[in-house]
Structure formats: structure tokens, C-alpha cells
Amino acid sequence: MANKFEDGAYGGECVTYAGMTYFGKRFNVNVEAEVYNASTVRKLSGPKSQCIACWSGGPTGAGHVGVVETWYPDTETMDYSDSNFVMGEYKIKNRPNIPRTELEDICGSDFTFQGYVEFK
């Protein structure tokens, strides 16, 4: 995987990482509302390279987002990265070659996978 950001580097909160840091585009409001804002993003029927995976819920209800960097349709796997709060800092985590089904459950039972979007 050729992630442009180092594993363990500071990445900011998930929305900042997926939007500004990775794609150079800003989400206008909280991720829960924005991922389905048709003026900013397009909802996809499945994963593709350079899209955003989205979850709702979580302990605070804020949801989570991460980047599908590369999608491998033949194996239904992807190279995925996100940034999350780890030991007092927002750290980037790279997950190469993760199966689609495993990715969709990666956040645990407090979260509900919502789908994939891309910036317009």
C-alpha cells in the first residue's frame, strides 16, 4: 500500500483526516449529516478506490469515517486508512488488504456501517 501518510502519524480527527488531510476537501458540517449531503458527496453502491467509508453511532453518536485508498474487486479487499484518538492523540492507522466484510465491522457493535461516499 502506498499511503501518503505514515502509520502512527498525527492525522487529526477522522473527519479532518478523511476530508482535509487526505483529499484536501472540507466537510461543511458534522459527518453524520454531511455524508449524505448531495451537494458535497455522492453515495456509492459499494467501495471503490479513493472513496470514504462511513459509520453512524458510537459512544458519542458522532460516527466515524475512513479512506478506502485502493479497492481490489477481484479479492473484495482494500487498503484502508483512518485517524482516531489513541492514547491522547489522533493517530493515523493504515490497514492494507483488509476484506470488505471485516472493514464494515471494524468499528465494533456501537457503530452502524452506512456505506461509501465520494466527494463530487
Side-chain angles (χ1 to χ4, degrees), residues 48-64:
K48 70 181 242 182
S49 295
Q50 300 295 298
C51 76
I52 300 169
C54 307
W55 292 263
S56 63
T60 65
H64 185 65

Side-chain angles (χ1 to χ4, degrees), residues 6-22:
E6 233 179 276
D7 199 43
Y10 178 79
E13 64 160 22
C14 64
V15 174
T16 301
Y17 172 73
M20 283 305 294
T21 305
Y22 196 90

Side-chain angles (χ1 to χ4, degrees), residues 46-51 68-79 98-101 103-104 116:
K48 70 181 242 182
S49 295
Q50 300 295 298
C51 76
V68 176
E69 297 181 17
T70 307
W71 167 244
Y72 305 101
D74 292 347
T75 59
E76 295 253 324
T77 60
M78 64 189 77
D79 295 336
I98 186 170
R100 177 180 181 172
T101 52
L103 175 85
E104 293 175 3
Y116 302 92

Side-chain angles (χ1 to χ4, degrees), residues 27-105:
F27 284 107
N28 296 321
V29 296
N30 73 40
V31 69
E32 193 70 28
E34 187 66 17
V35 295
Y36 295 108
N37 179 344
S39 67
T40 306
V41 297
R42 176 182 307 107
K43 189 170 180 181
L44 303 171
S45 60
K48 70 181 242 182
S49 295
Q50 300 295 298
C51 76
I52 300 169
C54 307
W55 292 263
S56 63
T60 65
H64 185 65
V65 295
V67 178
V68 176
E69 297 181 17
T70 307
W71 167 244
Y72 305 101
D74 292 347
T75 59
E76 295 253 324
T77 60
M78 64 189 77
D79 295 336
Y80 169 84
S81 65
D82 62 9
S83 183
N84 222 334
F85 197 67
V86 177
M87 299 188 67
E89 295 187 84
Y90 290 97
K91 297 288 188 177
I92 294 170
K93 176 74 174 164
N94 295 303
R95 295 175 177 94
N97 223 15
I98 186 170
R100 177 180 181 172
T101 52
E102 186 178 323
L103 175 85
E104 293 175 3
D105 291 334

